[in-house]
Amino acid sequence: MNLKLMGWIQNDLSRLGEYCGAASQACGWDIPYNYPVFGRDAFRTATGVHAAAVIKSYRKGDRELADLVYSGVPAGQFGLEQVVEIGPMSGKSNVIYWLEKRGIEANDDRVSRIYDRAKQASAVLADDEIMRLV
């Protein structure tokens, strides 16, 4: 990863995550959630301002900008993308984006129900919990 970011190699690393996952499984080792690039939390956000900037970039069709807004590592170079989640610090735009990304209509009632639950939560909502609120 560092060699790619420093421009020392030009290799296509978009499938490196698949390799890391296969190696992790073969070795019986879980990739730590906070591990750089391929850890579960590497490109996740639920914070309103951060997520809003990422969402605006995606809506403009600018994946590269979405990667650079708050991340020192461009997810797209490694076959990944920024993930917008919903939690207590999220705005309604997080909810709307999350729903639309899954092809679910973001009507006012649905958005308010999910947003209100998120504001009461102590952590990011799991996808299955959000789906129960849909």
Side-chain angles (χ1 to χ4, degrees):
M1 176 200 72
N2 287 332
L3 295 176
K4 176 77 168 178
L5 294 176
M6 292 169 64
W8 291 7
I9 62 170
Q10 300 304 316
N11 304 45
D12 177 4
L13 299 181
S14 63
R15 296 189 63 201
L16 185 57
E18 292 175 46
Y19 173 81
C20 291
S24 167
Q25 188 174 15
C27 294
W29 179 75
D30 290 330
I31 297 171
Y33 69 91
N34 61 346
Y35 204 73
V37 183
F38 299 110
R40 182 198 69 198
D41 290 349
F43 299 108
R44 290 174 47 188
T45 185
T47 306
V49 173
H50 181 180
V54 170
I55 291 167
K56 286 177 186 174
S57 299
Y58 278 140
R59 291 201 191 282
K60 288 177 66 172
D62 195 338
R63 287 184 58 134
E64 187 175 340
L65 180 59
D67 278 350
L68 298 174
V69 172
Y70 284 100
S71 181
V73 176
Q77 287 188 17
F78 300 96
L80 303 168
E81 67 179 9
Q82 302 292 326
V83 177
V84 175
E85 297 186 314
I86 303 168
M89 296 180 65
S90 297
K92 286 189 177 183
S93 64
N94 291 47
V95 178
I96 293 167
Y97 180 79
W98 191 97
L99 291 167
E100 289 176 350
K101 182 117 172 103
R102 288 157 181 79
I104 302 169
E105 181 187 354
N107 63 46
D108 289 342
D109 181 53
R110 186 172 286 144
V111 170
S112 293
R113 186 170 48 251
I114 295 167
Y115 178 76
D116 291 345
R117 171 64 189 109
K119 289 301 179 185
Q120 297 169 0
S122 59
V124 171
L125 302 179
D127 288 356
D128 61 338
E129 182 177 2
I130 298 168
M131 289 305 290
R132 284 193 300 271
L133 294 167
V134 168

